[in-house]
Amino acid sequence: MALFHTLFCILLVVLCCVSLNGGDAVGAVSDAAADVGEAIRVNATGRHDDDKAGGDVETNLPCPEAESISPCLCTSDGSYTMYMDCSAVESEKQLASIMSQKFPFPGFYSLVIKNNDNLKVLRSGALGVNTFQEFHITDGALQEVEVGALSGSYSTTTILDFNNNYITSFPWERISSFISLETLSARSNFIALFPTLVSNSLAYLDLSNNPMGSMPVTAFINTPALKEIYIREIGIYNLPSGTFFGHPHLSTLQLSFNNLGQLTEGAVQMGAGKTKVYLNNNMISNVAANSFSGLISGDFVYLYSNELTELVEEVWQPLIMFGVYLDFRFNPLTCGCDIAWIVLNPSILSHIDSDTTCSNGQFIVDLDPAIYEKEC
């Protein structure tokens, strides 16, 4: 305001000079007025026209200022979607300090922290009031995710990705609070007990490579929307009947590299079509009739690298009649009369993987049907 008064006084003095000296001073008046106008404009906007000539002053919007969140990085795309990467954060305290700031726009698409050995505990409140749709905290030293650490994103999160860490403690009891959660992956951690999960939206679950050792029959009873389950190499030795019952959308079941020795009636129940069941690399030597249900034409069951010695017609013929393809490679099959029903029927034989061999290495597809016609 003081500057405005000063400039106004200068203008009055110039006008007085004009009245005394006549028209010769008109040009001076014009120049003085222009200077006053520019001074007033610069005082109000803080920018000269030549500033504008170089383009508008750049901002990080919608991202926070880069200096304020370093060493985290925020990027945005053409639709102003923001992505936060804090892979270089140096401590839990630093992460909390960065996230506690009041950002212009607190809604982020994703938070990525990868290959970080400094973050061992994701503490409650560490992410401030910011929200995220996806969490990708992977390949690091994370051991614990505290209850409440992700609470600000209960209504927005669709993906929780915590693969390849050292996690022993995770807020499984809060999964039901993530009302839009579709993917939960905590592969290759140190989770000792199979968690009780409750979610009406969860479609993809991966808990592979965790030292659980067992899995309750009720493991998936409260996750009806599941489409894909990956529980590879978790040490389970038993599949109780009904474990996968009530999942009409289930299309992929990954159970390879476990300690399964047998399959009881009702062990595997699918229902979506275009299904793949992976039971390879176990120790399965016995499969009961009606162990599989819900499989239809075009579905696949992978049983390679197990301990099967016989292919009992009562067990496998119903699946093949429905059009299911079976992979029995790398099993010590004796290839006796138990497989006559396969060798003597080309249609059935076509549903067995062509690389399946007997224990002596001979391919089943190369066996002479005449032997089985005569001896069986």
Side-chain angles (χ1 to χ4, degrees):
M1 183 62 74
L3 175 62
F4 178 83
H5 286 160
T6 301
L7 294 172
F8 185 73
C9 291
I10 294 174
L11 182 59
L12 288 178
V13 171
V14 173
L15 290 174
C16 290
C17 291
V18 170
S19 62
L20 295 173
N21 297 308
D24 291 341
V26 172
V29 171
S30 178
D31 292 341
D35 291 341
V36 170
E38 172 66 5
I40 293 174
R41 187 187 66 77
V42 170
N43 183 58
T45 65
R47 187 176 67 190
H48 288 273
D49 284 338
D50 54 0
D51 293 331
K52 187 182 295 185
D56 290 336
V57 175
E58 292 186 2
T59 68
N60 291 333
L61 293 178
C63 282
E65 290 295 330
E67 295 80 5
S68 69
I69 62 172
S70 179
C72 293
L73 299 172
C74 177
T75 57
S76 64
D77 58 23
S79 62
Y80 302 111
T81 301
M82 294 186 293
Y83 308 85
M84 180 73 83
D85 189 325
C86 290
S87 297
V89 73
E90 297 171 358
S91 67
E92 297 160 15
K93 183 178 180 179
Q94 184 182 58
L95 176 65
S97 176
I98 291 170
M99 292 296 179
S100 66
Q101 300 177 64
K102 185 176 181 180
F103 296 151
F105 303 95
F108 296 84
Y109 184 79
S110 64
L111 172 64
V112 173
I113 304 177
K114 186 174 182 180
N115 292 317
N116 186 290
D117 293 330
N118 303 314
L119 182 65
K120 293 181 171 59
V121 180
L122 187 59
R123 302 191 183 279
S124 179
L127 302 180
V129 298
N130 305 295
T131 63
F132 302 89
Q133 294 182 44
E134 297 184 4
F135 289 91
H136 299 278
I137 303 179
T138 64
D139 305 287
L142 187 65
Q143 299 173 12
E144 179 182 1
V145 179
E146 290 187 350
V147 174
L150 310 174
S151 60
S153 299
Y154 281 161
S155 63
T156 58
T157 298
T158 59
I159 295 178
L160 292 175
D161 173 13
F162 287 84
N163 293 333
N164 301 305
N165 289 292
Y166 292 83
I167 294 173
T168 58
S169 180
F170 194 87
W172 306 111
E173 66 273 23
R174 294 292 187 268
I175 293 301
S176 60
S177 300
F178 293 92
I179 59 176
S180 299
L181 183 64
E182 297 177 359
T183 296
L184 171 57
S185 189
R187 181 179 66 251
S188 299
N189 280 282
F190 289 85
I191 301 164
L193 295 176
F194 203 98
T196 298
L197 300 174
V198 178
S199 175
N200 290 321
S201 59
L202 186 63
Y204 178 103
L205 175 67
D206 190 351
L207 295 176
S208 299
N209 301 93
N210 280 285
M212 297 176 182
S214 63
M215 180 177 65
V217 68
T218 58
F220 308 106
I221 194 171
N222 293 311
T223 51
L226 279 174
K227 297 179 180 179
E228 300 181 43
I229 299 175
Y230 296 82
I231 42 179
R232 181 182 188 270
E233 201 170 355
I234 65 171
I236 56 173
Y237 53 86
N238 185 35
L239 282 181
S241 177
T243 300
F244 306 104
F245 178 75
H247 293 83
H249 309 293
L250 187 59
S251 62
T252 300
L253 182 56
Q254 171 56 271
L255 289 156
S256 61
F257 289 91
N258 279 293
N259 299 322
L260 298 172
Q262 63 177 349
L263 298 178
T264 58
E265 182 176 354
V268 177
Q269 296 167 311
M270 309 296 284
K274 297 182 179 179
T275 293
K276 293 184 178 180
V277 180
Y278 296 88
L279 289 157
N280 55 283
N281 295 91
N282 278 278
M283 298 179 289
I284 299 171
S285 61
N286 182 51
V287 180
N290 302 313
S291 292
F292 299 87
S293 62
L295 298 174
I296 61 175
S297 179
D299 291 348
F300 286 81
V301 178
Y302 299 93
L303 281 147
Y304 60 86
S305 298
N306 276 287
E307 299 297 328
L308 293 169
T309 58
E310 297 183 344
L311 298 179
V312 179
E313 183 175 5
E314 181 186 8
V315 175
W316 306 111
Q317 192 262 3
L319 292 178
I320 292 177
M321 295 307 294
F322 276 116
V324 178
Y325 289 89
L326 304 171
D327 186 347
F328 294 115
R329 291 173 299 148
F330 313 118
N331 279 276
L333 300 173
T334 58
C335 294
C337 287
D338 62 285
I339 66 168
W341 65 280
I342 297 174
V343 178
L344 296 174
N345 190 325
S347 179
I348 289 178
L349 186 59
S350 68
H351 282 76
I352 306 293
D353 189 279
S354 60
D355 287 331
T356 300
T357 62
C358 305
S359 58
N360 64 4
Q362 189 172 8
F363 290 101
I364 286 183
V365 294
D366 293 336
L367 294 174
D368 188 350
I371 298 175
Y372 292 87
E373 288 177 348
K374 179 182 178 181
E375 301 295 336
C376 301

